[in-house]
Amino acid sequence: MTEISAPQQMVLGALRQAASQNVELLPDAESKLREWETEPGFYSILLNIFTNHSIEVNVRWLAVLYFKNGVDRFWRKTAPNAISEEEKVTLRRGLVSNFHEPVNQVATQIAVLLAKIARFDCPREWPDLVPVLLSEAKSQVPIVQQRSLLYLHHVIKSLSSKRLAGDRRLFQELTGNVFGFVLHLWNTHLEQFLQEASQGKEDMLNALEKALFCLRILRKLALYGFKKPHESSECFLFLNMVFDRAKTMLECRKTLLQKRIGPVETVEKFIIHLSKVLMSVLEHHPFSYVELIRPSLELCVYYAFTPAGEPLLFERFLIHCLNIIKGILMCAEYKPAKIEEVDDILSASETKEPATLKAHQVKQDFFTEDTLHEMCRKLVSHYFLLTQDDLQLWDSDPESFATDEGGESWKYSLRPCTEALFLALFHEYRTILTPVLLDMIRSNHALVDPSDLNAILRKDAVYNAVGIAAFDLYDEVNFDQWFSTTLTQELGVRDGNYRIIRRRVVWLIGQWLSVKLSPELRPALYANTLPLLQAGEDIAVRLAASNTLKLAIDDFEFISEQFLPFLEPAFSLLFALLKEVHECDTKMHVLYVLSFMVERVGLSIRPHAGALVQYLPLLWEESADHNMLRCAIVSTLVQLVKALGSGSETLHPFLLPVIQMSTDVQQDCHVYLMEDGLELWLAVLENTATASPDLLQLFRNMPPLLESSSENLRTCYYIIQASVLLGPEQFLKTYGEVIINLCNDMLADMRSEGVIMTMRLVETCLRAAPTLFPEILEPMLPRIFEAIYRGEDYPMVMSMYLSIMARVLLCSRDVFSQAVTKVADSLRQSQEAVLDKMLDVWLDKMALVTQLERRKLLGLALASLLTAGSRSVLDRFCGVLLNITEALNDVMKVEDTGRQVDSLLLSEQSSPTPIIQDDDVDYESEHDHRRKQLAAHDPVHTVSLRDYFQMQLTELTRQIGSAQMEQLKHTVDVETMEQALEYISL
């Protein structure tokens, strides 16, 4: 044993302390290791430690982990504190001289470590890595052979994941060089295993593990090492061998099970990986797979759908078989562009890809009527049947049984997998399979004896098939009649075994709701569903009924008036179910149905919501460890607040802490709750009559939200707008300066859409507090005025900038002047020159402002400037007159009496179009009333532009005298003067 150096002894000591998990020693050890990780030679010491088999296993394992983490952070040449090239050479050499690692866990970590380095260095800086690994794979020493294949597997896996074109070319070159050798190794080790298995040798696992490593390597090479795998003779040979090897290994598994010897679990892994090879190539290289379609279908149908193949099956392999069939059926590359007749390949003449036509023909030849009939019947009558295990799970844990497996569960779970295949088959061969399914419906149409469990299970399976294929059976099934007769009767049978039928029938109705159930039958649907929600009913049946009720309410043809008579019992029964279920997922599901019901019926829920309102705080406390359930609670609270309106203020002691927690970026749960929390905050503000200190204090959460992300910017701005309207003076005095500083900082990086939203927010503040807010806005005004000075190109942005400038001008000339002065100082120009340029832009761009309210606002502001005593304004008298006159052309209308009136002035009968543009809402909230009140006091709706213009001109004449006024009039062209005189006198 070599002598351990002092630095190595120090690192070894720190690793031993870290591996001890002693809470007193751990922090110091981790601190030391962190400090050393950038020191030269540290990783060479780690290499010496984990390759020294006399050191404790847990210490060696930890040394590999530290080395692996160091590769992630310091191996790149450009990384800060990167490992030196000289040390890297030593490390690479040391790593490929260690093929005798006795501990599997350490060996696996070394393999992953090698793969990480290979991703950086292979083949350019480390060209001999793969040759060394292949050379060691020929070793006669079993452990060296095994470790070299383990390392090669991880290296190939890592290299195959690189996606740049250059990297892919290099991997293809590598594949061409090594594929034949690995294929030979695979055959050799597999033959050795089969021979040892037939002789019942105890050490047969060693050969099988090596064969499995080779198979995994071959899969990656086949997938990513060839542009077109079928053009490589070696690769195509391998793919064809998969079928025979699968059959052989299935027989081997059966033999080992019968003899109760051997590594059955590893044999199953091997078989699964063979099927993964087929699925992967089908997915990534569909045209290379065309020649394999027929043998794939023969293999999979034999084992999944024939009595001879069934004894050899195990579940995971069955799932893969069914998914291969489904993959072939669903593959877009195997479907001709135009098919007039299902069995006529010539009708696909528009398809130019020969491989597509060939694949389609192979499918048509294989899927004969007899084959399709057999597969359909086997799926429904065998795979769809509830098993004894299913029924036991139903009895012991009905909530788990009732959980709907969604998403991609068909990839790994048998029942969703069979259902997905059935749907794909039925959709592809509807004309052939429809008579088969209709015959099954007729055979199972009559009510069955409640004591005949087999008949009940058969009916359940058939109804499942009819629900899955609902869209394809649209023209074949009179569902209204079926619902009104047999299905309604079956829902009323209360026998214990009949819970299976009741659950399936109510699910079936949900599947057909949006397909073919007349609107006039909806009341009958509600009436028949409610009894299934009652406390005496089975939990799984109640959950299925709740989902069908949700589908009915969510349907396009839902009529709330039809549902209102059933609202109170439905809400009460769902609420009782919510309290009764225990699983987090189940509570979420029921709460979602309740929330959706509240949303759809709106104000009608008010008399019935009391119990839910009282229960939600308790549920919130119980769900502290379940963020997704809390998401559902917050989402429900949003709908409840909207439905209860100002009556929701009594809930503030509960709601405000929920909002506080959900929108606090310091809380870990904010990642889950943020979006719904902001919606709840907005709903509370919009449905509150008067501001309270606690509600305003929530705003402390807002600055970090605005700083951290623009994802929820729109909702955050709506919250600020709603807060401003709720208590303008109080809110803006406290938070106005913070808002403006944040918005001003964000404007620098905002796109046009964000700038427009920000300006709308600023405008709301100016309208709500015209005497207070202009001074608060001062830090942002130079940015806005400079944008106007430059002549911002985007019309909507310019329209908003001009609107802000106009409102500031109408609210406070002093603030306006100070902002112009700051811009002048910034640009190192005179105030007069800056004002001249801004006025030129204003007069030029005002024609681009399309919204009537904004055109009038700009007209009022221009008119106000006439008496400002500014030479810049008077020099542009013609342009000012023209723009105000054009604004008058837009806003003036002629009444029936012939009198001209300002169309935007509010009367008792009219209501304004709010300038604040929130999302549309279908209820009248406190916020809506405040918006109307704000509009009612806006100069746009209270001041006549024509009268104000006339007044300003009269005042201007008084200021400058008639003689100078005449001179100004001479600067106006005849056409403009004629238009102006239609509204005013000069």
Side-chain angles (χ1 to χ4, degrees):
M1 180 177 165
T2 57
E3 186 177 340
I4 298 177
S5 65
Q8 185 169 325
Q9 193 67 53
M10 291 167 60
V11 174
L12 183 59
L15 286 170
R16 280 178 173 146
Q17 287 181 345
S20 71
Q21 296 301 306
N22 185 320
V23 290
E24 294 178 0
L25 301 176
L26 194 59
D28 183 51
E30 290 179 340
S31 175
K32 285 179 183 176
L33 290 166
R34 269 197 306 273
E35 182 183 329
W36 294 332
E37 64 187 8
T38 57
E39 292 291 325
F42 176 65
Y43 295 97
S44 298
I45 291 172
L46 290 178
L47 175 66
N48 290 336
I49 289 172
F50 69 72
T51 55
N52 186 339
H53 301 163
S54 64
I55 295 172
E56 309 91 293
V57 170
N58 60 337
V59 174
R60 295 199 300 118
W61 184 78
L62 194 58
V64 182
L65 289 185
Y66 268 95
F67 195 133
K68 191 171 70 175
N69 294 337
V71 169
D72 288 334
R73 297 171 60 193
F74 307 116
W75 198 271
R76 291 181 190 273
K77 293 178 182 178
T78 56
N81 303 306
I83 300 170
S84 70
E85 293 303 311
E86 294 76 15
E87 187 173 1
K88 285 182 185 177
V89 171
T90 306
L91 294 173
R92 287 193 291 256
R93 192 182 305 120
L95 283 168
V96 290
S97 60
N98 178 33
F99 292 95
H100 291 82
E101 174 55 55
V103 181
N104 282 332
Q105 292 91 330
V106 176
T108 301
Q109 292 301 324
I110 293 172
V112 174
L113 170 58
L114 269 171
K116 283 180 177 291
I117 297 175
R119 191 172 172 83
F120 291 120
D121 291 359
C122 189
R124 291 184 177 88
E125 279 82 15
W126 205 358
D128 59 339
L129 171 61
V130 174
V132 167
L133 295 177
L134 291 172
S135 173
E136 295 298 327
K138 300 176 188 175
S139 169
Q140 298 304 307
V141 181
I143 192 161
V144 172
Q145 204 175 51
Q146 204 268 357
R147 295 305 184 222
S148 63
L149 287 173
L150 169 65
Y151 297 169
L152 182 63
H153 159 56
H154 281 277
V155 167
I156 293 294
K157 182 179 177 182
S158 177
L159 295 178
S160 70
S161 67
K162 298 175 82 171
R163 291 292 176 263
L164 293 177
D167 293 325
R168 297 190 76 160
R169 276 195 303 274
L170 288 171
F171 189 71
Q172 286 163 7
E173 288 177 19
L174 171 67
T175 299
N177 294 329
V178 306
F179 192 90
F181 176 74
V182 179
L183 180 60
H184 172 72
L185 274 184
W186 180 56
N187 271 321
T188 303
H189 292 310
L190 189 54
E191 289 297 338
Q192 182 184 346
F193 163 73
L194 291 171
Q195 185 178 355
E196 290 173 353
S198 66
Q199 297 169 1
K201 289 189 177 180
E202 290 184 5
D203 61 347
M204 68 180 85
L205 175 61
N206 187 35
L208 181 58
E209 283 182 340
K210 287 183 281 192
L212 182 55
F213 282 133
C214 290
L215 178 58
R216 286 173 166 159
I217 295 165
L218 288 169
R219 175 170 169 252
K220 291 296 181 184
L221 294 174
L223 273 184
Y224 304 108
F226 301 99
K227 286 183 179 178
K228 297 178 180 180
H230 68 289
E231 292 181 354
S232 162
S233 57
E234 289 180 332
C235 184
F236 199 61
L237 172 65
F238 163 64
L239 294 175
N240 277 293
M241 290 173 67
V242 167
F243 301 101
D244 287 332
R245 292 306 193 186
K247 294 171 187 174
T248 304
M249 293 301 283
L250 284 164
E251 292 287 353
C252 176
R253 172 184 173 274
K254 182 182 176 183
T255 303
L256 294 176
L257 281 171
Q258 288 171 345
K259 294 180 178 179
R260 297 185 180 182
I261 60 168
V264 173
E265 188 177 332
T266 310
V267 171
E268 290 182 354
K269 275 186 187 178
F270 191 92
I271 295 167
I272 289 301
H273 215 83
L274 287 169
S275 60
K276 280 184 178 179
V277 171
L278 298 178
M279 288 195 296
S280 302
V281 176
L282 171 60
E283 181 181 351
H284 291 90
H285 301 284
F287 288 130
S288 291
Y289 199 82
V290 171
E291 294 294 335
L292 306 176
I293 294 175
R294 181 88 194 190
S296 297
L297 291 173
E298 287 173 348
L299 177 86
C300 296
V301 170
Y302 173 77
Y303 287 109
F305 292 100
T306 67
E310 193 174 329
L312 297 166
L313 277 176
F314 58 97
E315 187 169 300
R316 283 187 66 203
F317 177 65
L318 171 60
I319 291 170
H320 282 210
C321 284
L322 299 178
N323 283 332
I324 289 170
I325 300 171
K326 175 177 171 285
I328 293 169
L329 286 169
M330 300 289 287
C331 183
E333 287 80 1
Y334 298 163
K335 295 183 178 181
K338 203 173 186 181
I339 303 176
E340 301 297 336
E341 297 291 336
V342 174
D343 57 351
D344 183 7
I345 193 64
L346 296 177
S347 64
S349 57
E350 288 190 15
T351 301
K352 295 179 181 178
E353 176 57 59
T356 298
L357 300 179
K358 185 171 183 179
H360 178 71
Q361 186 64 62
V362 172
K363 283 165 59 181
Q364 301 309 104
D365 291 344
F366 181 83
F367 287 113
T368 62
E369 277 199 28
D370 289 345
T371 301
L372 289 167
H373 287 182
E374 184 60 36
M375 290 175 71
C376 179
R377 291 189 180 279
K378 182 73 177 277
L379 282 168
V380 176
S381 62
H382 179 73
Y383 290 119
F384 281 12
L385 290 178
L386 293 175
T387 64
Q388 200 58 45
D389 288 343
D390 292 329
L391 296 176
Q392 286 175 1
L393 177 62
W394 189 338
D395 288 332
S396 62
D397 190 357
E399 291 181 43
S400 295
F401 173 79
T403 300
D404 182 29
E405 294 183 274
E408 295 192 332
S409 57
W410 55 270
K411 288 185 177 180
Y412 52 81
S413 187
L414 182 57
R415 186 167 300 281
C417 170
T418 56
E419 292 173 352
L421 174 60
F422 176 80
L423 180 59
L425 263 179
F426 205 90
H427 191 68
E428 186 90 355
Y429 300 104
R430 180 173 55 217
T431 54
I432 296 173
L433 294 179
T434 295
V436 180
L437 191 51
L438 291 176
D439 182 56
M440 289 183 178
I441 296 173
R442 283 190 289 271
S443 302
N444 292 273
H445 182 73
L447 293 176
V448 298
D449 184 347
S451 63
D452 189 347
L453 181 59
N454 289 332
I456 285 174
L457 293 177
R458 284 196 302 273
K459 181 183 278 270
D460 173 78
V462 172
Y463 281 12
N464 188 18
V466 177
I468 291 168
F471 282 97
D472 291 310
L473 290 173
Y474 178 87
D475 294 320
E476 309 297 334
V477 175
N478 183 343
F479 195 78
D480 282 359
Q481 182 182 352
W482 194 15
F483 167 75
S484 303
T485 54
T486 308
L487 296 181
T488 302
Q489 282 180 281
E490 288 176 326
L491 288 177
V493 179
R494 309 305 297 174
D495 186 272
N497 279 342
Y498 238 77
R499 64 178 179 164
I500 299 170
I501 300 298
R502 290 196 300 277
R503 170 180 168 271
R504 182 60 68 190
V505 167
V506 77
W507 170 87
L508 176 64
I509 294 167
Q511 299 305 110
W512 277 82
L513 261 169
S514 58
V515 178
K516 199 176 184 182
L517 183 68
S518 300
E520 53 269 23
L521 288 175
R522 295 302 170 95
L525 164 64
Y526 304 139
N528 281 284
T529 304
L530 292 184
L532 303 180
L533 289 167
Q534 291 175 351
E537 183 57 89
D538 182 272
I539 286 287
V541 178
R542 292 165 74 185
L543 290 170
S546 71
N547 191 57
T548 294
L549 196 57
K550 184 260 170 190
L551 292 170
I553 296 169
D554 192 20
D555 189 56
F556 178 75
E557 294 185 326
F558 174 72
I559 302 170
S560 59
E561 289 75 16
Q562 284 184 328
F563 183 66
L564 290 181
F566 305 94
L567 175 58
E568 191 280 328
F571 195 84
S572 299
L573 290 168
L574 283 168
F575 176 60
L577 178 59
L578 175 66
K579 290 195 295 183
E580 191 170 335
V581 294
H582 303 290
E583 296 293 331
C584 177
D585 286 348
T586 319
K587 283 187 178 291
M588 280 175 57
H589 167 78
V590 180
L591 195 56
Y592 177 58
V593 179
L594 278 166
S595 174
F596 201 80
M597 186 183 295
V598 173
E599 183 180 359
R600 291 307 298 265
V601 301
L603 305 182
S604 302
I605 204 67
R606 287 182 178 181
H608 317 298
L612 181 61
V613 165
Q614 291 178 356
Y615 175 66
L616 286 178
L618 175 62
L619 185 59
W620 178 264
E621 293 301 322
E622 291 176 349
S623 61
D625 298 326
H626 302 286
N627 286 315
M628 296 311 294
L629 177 54
R630 284 196 157 181
C631 282
I633 295 170
V634 179
S635 178
T636 304
L637 288 171
V638 173
Q639 302 306 328
L640 274 174
V641 168
K642 288 180 178 181
L644 296 174
S646 58
S648 64
E649 288 187 52
T650 57
L651 301 179
H652 282 194
F654 169 51
L655 295 174
L656 301 191
V658 169
I659 297 169
Q660 159 65 33
M661 175 184 286
S662 303
T663 59
D664 182 358
V665 296
Q666 300 301 317
Q667 299 280 347
D668 293 339
C669 62
H670 89 275
V671 176
Y672 304 93
L673 303 178
M674 175 68 69
E675 190 171 341
D676 290 317
L678 289 172
E679 291 291 341
L680 179 59
W681 190 352
L682 179 59
V684 166
L685 287 167
E686 289 183 342
N687 291 279
T688 297
T690 54
S692 68
D694 290 341
L695 185 54
L696 289 177
Q697 274 189 359
L698 282 178
F699 202 80
R700 292 175 182 173
N701 282 2
M702 184 58 71
L705 290 174
L706 293 175
E707 289 169 354
S708 61
S709 170
S710 61
E711 189 177 340
N712 297 298
L713 183 63
R714 188 181 299 275
T715 309
C716 288
Y717 275 7
Y718 286 162
I719 288 168
I720 299 171
Q721 284 183 347
S723 301
V724 169
L725 297 195
L726 182 60
E729 300 282 330
Q730 184 182 1
F731 179 79
L732 289 174
K733 281 179 181 176
T734 309
Y735 297 111
E737 189 176 335
V738 174
I739 294 168
I740 291 305
N741 288 333
L742 280 168
C743 290
N744 197 28
D745 290 341
M746 290 190 298
L747 276 174
D749 300 317
M750 275 185 172
R751 296 180 180 178
S752 298
E753 185 183 4
V755 173
I756 292 168
M757 284 196 298
T758 305
M759 291 303 105
R760 282 180 176 159
L761 172 61
V762 168
E763 185 178 32
T764 302
C765 297
L766 278 169
R767 295 171 70 214
T771 57
L772 169 68
F773 193 68
E775 291 186 8
I776 297 173
L777 183 59
E778 273 195 67
M780 186 186 285
L781 287 178
R783 183 188 294 275
I784 296 172
F785 283 16
E786 276 193 40
I788 296 171
Y789 176 90
R790 292 192 307 272
E792 162 70 45
D793 290 333
Y794 190 54
M796 277 294 290
V797 174
M798 177 55 78
S799 174
M800 291 307 306
Y801 283 156
L802 290 173
S803 297
I804 299 301
M805 185 170 73
R807 288 198 180 276
V808 170
L809 193 54
L810 292 171
C811 293
S812 172
R813 278 191 187 171
D814 288 342
V815 172
F816 177 84
S817 299
Q818 289 165 14
V820 172
T821 302
K822 287 181 181 177
V823 173
D825 293 343
S826 171
L827 298 174
R828 297 181 181 178
Q829 295 189 23
S830 68
Q831 293 181 37
E832 189 173 359
V834 170
L835 186 57
D836 284 348
K837 180 68 186 298
M838 288 173 63
L839 283 170
D840 287 338
V841 172
W842 185 343
L843 296 173
D844 179 51
K845 301 288 188 181
M846 187 168 161
L848 301 177
V849 178
T850 56
Q851 194 176 351
L852 278 186
E853 287 82 356
R854 298 200 186 283
R855 286 183 66 75
K856 179 176 176 180
L857 174 67
L858 296 179
L860 289 170
L862 273 179
S864 76
L865 280 174
L866 289 171
T867 58
S870 168
R871 175 46 46 191
S872 298
V873 177
L874 296 183
D875 286 347
R876 292 161 179 77
F877 183 72
C878 177
V880 171
L881 201 68
L882 174 62
N883 275 283
I884 298 174
T885 302
E886 288 183 343
L888 282 167
N889 288 336
D890 290 332
V891 302
M892 298 300 286
K893 68 177 181 179
V894 181
E895 291 188 328
D896 295 338
T897 60
R899 187 170 67 97
Q900 283 190 328
V901 295
D902 189 326
S903 63
L904 295 179
L905 283 180
L906 282 181
S907 63
E908 292 182 5
Q909 292 79 29
S910 62
S911 62
T913 302
I915 294 180
I916 304 174
Q917 299 292 326
D918 280 347
D919 288 342
D920 292 332
V921 290
D922 57 0
Y923 66 98
E924 188 84 351
S925 65
E926 295 292 331
H927 182 63
D928 295 323
H929 297 313
R930 289 190 284 269
R931 289 167 67 190
K932 289 181 179 178
Q933 286 298 311
L934 183 68
H937 294 90
D938 195 307
V940 172
H941 298 299
T942 57
V943 177
S944 165
L945 177 57
R946 180 177 65 175
D947 294 348
Y948 182 65
F949 186 25
Q950 181 69 69
M951 184 182 74
Q952 287 295 93
L953 286 169
T954 304
E955 176 62 20
L956 177 61
T957 305
R958 190 190 66 76
Q959 285 180 357
I960 64 176
S962 299
Q964 194 174 347
M965 189 64 182
E966 284 300 319
Q967 290 178 9
L968 287 177
K969 286 160 64 174
H970 285 303
T971 64
V972 181
D973 63 272
V974 175
E975 187 179 348
T976 301
M977 184 61 75
E978 286 176 354
Q979 285 192 52
L981 291 174
E982 291 181 18
Y983 302 110
I984 46 94
S985 58
L986 273 170

